[in-house]
Amino acid sequence: MVLILLAAVLALQGWTWHRLLGRVASGQLTKLQGTLRYGLWALVPLLLFGASFFGAVGLEEWLGMALLSESLSRATLLIAALLLGAAGLGSACFAVRCAFVKRVAGAA
């Protein structure tokens, strides 16, 4: 499960990196706007994981039956830290890459 989550995070960050770097290079976004948007997109997996976890915990309480395994419950903070670290590292790398972007000549 963690490997699927990591693959999805890396795919989302790769897609976002490619799309926003092109928009920054063409002049549609400033470097700061591109960096902030990348940071928000990088936090999406963490927000989805947190919402699904708390939703499952709420359903457990409401239904009175276990939906989450004990190992997943214990690893939740570790997974959240992994997702937050990936978002932070990706955002920092994107900010550094944006600093070296040259605008395309003739772009609006």
Side-chain angles (χ1 to χ4, degrees):
M1 163 138 162
V2 175
L3 290 178
I4 293 171
L5 187 63
L6 182 61
V9 167
L10 292 178
L12 177 70
Q13 286 193 6
W15 174 78
T16 306
W17 182 295
H18 177 70
R19 185 165 188 259
L20 289 178
L21 197 61
R23 292 183 70 190
V24 169
S26 69
Q28 292 177 347
L29 293 173
T30 65
K31 294 176 183 182
L32 179 62
Q33 287 174 332
T35 302
L36 290 176
R37 285 190 186 187
Y38 184 88
L40 291 175
W41 273 105
L43 286 175
V44 166
L46 176 63
L47 297 174
L48 289 176
F49 178 74
S52 64
F53 178 78
F54 286 119
V57 169
L59 278 174
E60 280 184 351
E61 292 296 323
W62 186 49
L63 297 174
M65 58 188 290
L67 297 175
L68 297 174
S69 66
E70 183 70 25
S71 60
L72 178 62
S73 298
R74 291 179 186 264
T76 298
L77 288 178
L78 183 61
I79 294 171
L82 173 78
L83 292 173
L84 186 61
L89 182 64
S91 297
C93 292
F94 187 79
V96 169
R97 178 63 180 100
C98 274
F100 295 109
V101 168
K102 300 216 182 335
R103 302 288 175 145
V104 175

